[in-house]
Amino acid sequence: MDGRDAATDLELLRAHVTGDRDAFAELFHRHRDRLWAVALRTLGDREEAADALQDALLSAHRAAGRFRGDSAVTTWLHRIVVNACLDRIRRRQAHPTVPLPDGNRAGDGSATGGVEPAAPAQDHETALVVREALAALPVEQRAALVLVDLQGYPVAEVARILGVAEGTVKSRCARGRARLAVLLGHLRPAAGTATPTARPERSGPVADVPGVTPGNPRPAEGVGSGSGRYRRDANQEDT
């Protein structure tokens, strides 16, 4: 058994800082599925999510030596990924473009935002409606809902990831759920009809998860990313 398999997240991060060229890749491999799911559900577009995740990993790679250990390594990684996603959302809002259907960047379905083949048509259509409703929420509410309701993290953990008070997380979730109830009210079954079994949106197989690029295990001098820096405006409660 490779010694890295038994190493803790913190030990892998410290090994990376001290020069182990493979430790960071192992750390990412452990948590990539959940990090990818957070990015995809927050951004609603596979290509954007892949870019945000790559930005976050570069930022984490560079900032590893400054990790103080005042939270779990997974919390630290999630915070960087969420901030990378919020950065992209804010830039997109500042410079809006006309999106193609289902988040595709090309008409042939070859982009990463294509239809997920494993999903039945009805489920996929519902997932698209939910994705659009999430995209209509303020970014802080969206991030809180993705982490709490879709990913199932405890409120206390989400508060650490977002760098806000637990009460703020609860408030953002409550406001987000209220807005979603209005946006998704038409999905409620009519009286007397059977309620279909809800199926969570899948983030795709492991093959869809972006891997560590060959350059990541090496120091990433000159690669800048604001994703790892906590944004003060994320602390401000939305109105």
Side-chain angles (χ1 to χ4, degrees):
M1 177 182 294
D2 191 329
R4 295 189 187 87
D5 294 337
T8 66
D9 290 345
L10 183 58
E11 288 170 343
L12 285 174
L13 192 64
R14 287 174 174 169
H16 159 66
V17 172
T18 57
D20 187 327
R21 296 168 63 89
D22 299 317
F24 190 82
E26 172 63 26
L27 180 64
F28 168 59
H29 179 78
R30 284 184 182 181
H31 303 292
R32 63 179 182 176
D33 288 349
R34 299 202 79 179
L35 295 173
W36 168 244
V38 167
L40 178 60
R41 287 168 167 170
T42 301
L43 287 164
D45 179 287
R46 287 181 176 275
E47 189 169 322
E48 286 275 348
D51 289 345
L53 186 57
Q54 186 70 18
D55 287 347
L57 291 174
L58 288 172
S59 184
H61 189 282
R62 298 180 66 214
R66 300 193 297 273
F67 178 69
R68 297 188 302 272
D70 52 359
S71 65
V73 173
T74 52
T75 300
W76 175 73
L77 288 172
H78 277 78
R79 183 183 302 134
I80 294 175
V81 170
V82 169
N83 280 334
C85 292
L86 297 184
D87 283 347
R88 285 188 168 269
I89 291 171
R90 293 182 181 113
R91 289 198 298 268
R92 190 165 61 193
Q93 290 175 341
H95 304 284
T97 58
V98 178
L100 292 171
D102 192 28
N104 284 325
R105 300 299 180 83
D108 59 1
S110 61
T112 51
V115 175
E116 298 183 18
Q122 182 178 1
D123 288 350
H124 178 68
E125 291 174 3
T126 301
L128 289 181
V129 173
V130 173
R131 186 183 299 177
E132 290 174 358
L134 277 171
L137 297 179
V139 291
E140 288 80 9
Q141 291 178 11
R142 189 193 315 179
L145 279 178
V146 165
L147 291 168
V148 174
D149 289 356
L150 298 183
Q151 295 302 114
Y153 288 105
V155 169
E157 179 72 3
V158 174
R160 288 190 287 270
I161 291 172
L162 298 179
V164 298
E166 291 183 32
T168 300
V169 174
K170 294 177 181 178
S171 174
R172 290 177 180 177
C173 285
R175 295 184 182 190
R177 290 172 191 137
R179 296 192 186 201
L180 286 180
V182 174
L183 294 171
L184 301 175
H186 62 285
L187 295 180
R188 294 174 182 172
T193 61
T195 303
T197 302
R199 298 190 182 187
E201 180 185 355
R202 299 297 182 183
S203 59
V206 173
D208 288 339
V209 181
V212 177
T213 64
N216 278 0
R218 297 191 296 272
E221 291 87 353
V223 180
S225 172
S227 306
R229 299 191 301 273
Y230 177 67
R231 301 291 185 180
R232 292 188 177 273
D233 54 5
N235 276 321
Q236 298 174 356
E237 182 52 74
D238 42 80
T239 56

